[in-house]
Amino acid sequence: MENFNVMEKFGHEQVVFCSNVESGLKAIIAIHNTTLGPALGGTRMLNYKSVDQALNDVLRLSRGMTYKAAVAGLNLGGGKAVILGDSATQKNEMLFRTFGKFVEGLWGRYITAEDVGTNVRDMEYVRMETKFVTGISKALGGSGDPSPVTSYGVYVGMKACANAQWGNDSLRGKKIAVQGAGHVARNLCEHLYSEGAEIFITDIIDSKVQRVLETIKAHVVKPEEIYELDVDIFSPNALGAVLNDKTIPMIKAQIIAGGANNQLEEEDRNGQMLLDKNILYAPDYVINAGGLINVANELEGYRQDRAMKHAEGIYDILSRIIKVSKEQNIPTHVSSNKIAEERLAKIGGIRKIYTPCSNSNVR
């Protein structure tokens, strides 16, 4: 009963445990909500300490995907999958093709994509067993690397926050601390540098920072120094749970806007802390929705220009979230959740209207 209680707590429809001895696959697929459409969300591969830790992660992430799709205006539900294992040493064709078999068995209720610890090649193995996969290479008709669209969404979302906070969305001359130097952060820094922002960057892997410095100029700081910098904007683009009881009191920035997932360690408490400090926080699942928008576009025949245009809408979505937050004096993540839940309720009402199946035998 404990697993059912956890599912009911988060409002999940279905959780599938996948096991195969021959391939060594141990995976969990979580389908949170399919009111708006099939559940779409990436598959991450991590060396979790326990099954409970993996389950908690997939439940939280899949719920976030429901809200992300709803706020972004996509006709998709929320889902996620995790594969338990070391992505550096345990990947192979058989593992992902076996996982693809389990995805196929859900008959389109869940559509997968790449995520932390997985890549385009892994998804191509999955695609050998199911059509319910996105994030494949451009050569196969997919979108390839989603980071350009994700980073562009973070960039326009940051500009929306600037407009709300300072009455002007220009980032020229603004001091921006970028935590992380991966694909999304690198593309984001190029946008910021082109606009004339002053960038401070850090990452635990120095080679990633050096790659960013090949195309832009930035101040390099130590990972532990990034929170206390006297900057205008703090942009988390690496690990989750970086906004917590310890770090929030250190932050001097007036805006927090970045592409990392699950930035608030304790969502309600830490969200309120930011509001009390008058720090404008862009809810992570809203500002980083470009990745979902990108792979969702594959379902209609991928065109990057269309995906980028859709990602531009993050500006208006965040502006509305911030407006509601200020009017009701509530944290932005609460405002965002309310807007997502309103759309789910409205579309859910439409879905209750009976439509006969085209192959119905009823006369």
Side-chain angles (χ1 to χ4, degrees):
M1 288 300 294
E2 183 177 347
N3 285 341
F4 283 106
N5 292 337
V6 172
M7 287 177 64
E8 290 169 4
K9 174 185 175 183
F10 289 101
H12 281 74
E13 295 176 3
Q14 186 177 9
V15 177
V16 181
F17 287 80
C18 313
S19 177
N20 179 266
V21 175
E22 287 78 11
S23 66
L25 177 73
K26 294 185 185 299
I28 308 173
I29 300 171
I31 297 173
H32 178 255
N33 188 301
T34 56
T35 298
L36 300 177
L40 192 154
T43 296
R44 61 176 49 187
M45 184 173 183
L46 290 176
N47 202 11
Y48 291 98
K49 294 179 181 178
S50 66
V51 174
D52 285 345
Q53 185 187 46
L55 178 61
N56 183 68
D57 198 30
V58 77
L59 291 176
R60 185 180 181 188
L61 290 166
S62 56
R63 178 175 178 268
M65 294 302 293
T66 294
Y67 282 79
K68 181 180 291 192
V71 170
L74 298 170
N75 292 319
L76 293 167
K80 208 79 172 180
V82 294
I83 296 175
L84 289 75
D86 188 339
S87 62
T89 61
Q90 294 179 275
K91 281 187 180 183
N92 57 69
E93 178 182 353
M94 188 175 178
L95 181 80
F96 286 101
R97 292 187 67 167
T98 303
F99 176 70
K101 283 285 190 182
F102 282 101
V103 173
E104 177 68 13
L106 292 169
W107 281 93
R109 277 180 53 77
Y110 171 66
I111 302 169
T112 195
E114 64 177 288
D115 201 283
V116 176
T118 61
N119 55 37
V120 171
R121 182 57 178 152
D122 301 328
M123 293 305 107
E124 289 173 356
Y125 285 136
V126 173
R127 189 174 181 268
M128 291 177 182
E129 304 298 335
T130 181
K131 64 181 179 180
F132 302 114
V133 57
T134 58
I136 56 176
S137 69
K138 292 182 179 179
L140 295 175
S143 61
D145 179 11
S147 60
V149 181
T150 305
S151 60
Y152 183 64
V154 174
Y155 170 63
V156 298
M158 191 180 290
K159 288 176 73 66
C161 291
N163 188 55
Q165 194 79 323
W166 301 309
N168 188 314
D169 69 7
S170 174
L171 300 176
R172 178 170 293 277
K174 298 299 183 186
K175 295 181 179 179
I176 303 175
V178 178
Q179 183 184 47
H183 292 291
V184 172
R186 185 167 69 249
N187 285 290
L188 173 62
C189 285
E190 289 176 0
H191 288 299
L192 299 176
Y193 185 71
S194 295
E195 192 169 339
E198 184 177 358
I199 302 169
F200 299 79
I201 191 167
T202 193
D203 196 288
I204 58 174
I205 301 175
D206 186 62
S207 60
K208 289 185 177 182
V209 174
Q210 295 307 313
R211 186 171 179 185
V212 173
L213 296 179
E214 291 175 2
T215 55
I216 70 159
K217 293 181 180 179
H219 307 283
V220 180
V221 300
K222 296 178 181 178
E224 63 272 16
E225 296 174 347
I226 198 74
Y227 301 103
E228 297 185 281
L229 294 179
D230 188 9
V231 295
D232 301 296
I233 301 172
F234 172 54
S235 183
N237 294 280
L239 301 174
V242 295
L243 303 177
N244 51 54
D245 294 349
K246 179 181 178 181
T247 61
I248 291 174
M250 301 179 187
I251 295 173
K252 298 181 177 68
Q254 295 181 51
I255 293 172
I256 298 177
N261 286 310
N262 298 326
Q263 295 171 26
L264 298 171
E265 185 174 62
E266 295 290 340
E267 193 172 72
D268 291 333
R269 185 172 73 245
N270 296 148
Q272 186 63 46
M273 287 175 68
L274 293 173
L275 180 66
D276 293 342
K277 283 195 68 176
N278 294 316
I279 297 175
L280 177 55
Y281 167 64
D284 48 51
Y285 71 79
V286 179
I287 197 169
N288 68 15
L292 178 60
I293 289 169
N294 189 70
V295 295
N297 267 267
E298 287 188 31
L299 303 177
E300 303 170 10
Y302 186 72
R303 279 177 42 195
Q304 190 176 56
D305 60 337
R306 183 177 60 197
M308 295 289 272
K309 186 66 178 177
H310 195 163
E312 277 184 20
I314 291 173
Y315 187 108
D316 291 334
I317 293 166
L318 265 173
S319 297
R320 182 186 173 201
I321 289 167
I322 295 166
K323 184 175 182 287
V324 172
S325 171
K326 290 182 176 179
E327 288 176 349
Q328 300 183 19
N329 193 32
I330 56 177
T332 48
H333 79 279
V334 176
S335 168
S336 178
N337 289 352
K338 290 181 68 172
I339 291 171
E341 288 160 4
E342 286 172 6
R343 182 166 185 254
L344 287 165
K346 288 177 180 177
I347 304 301
I350 296 173
R351 293 289 164 87
K352 291 177 183 176
I353 299 172
Y354 173 70
T355 303
C357 297
S358 59
N359 60 350
S360 174
N361 293 320
V362 178
R363 297 287 187 268

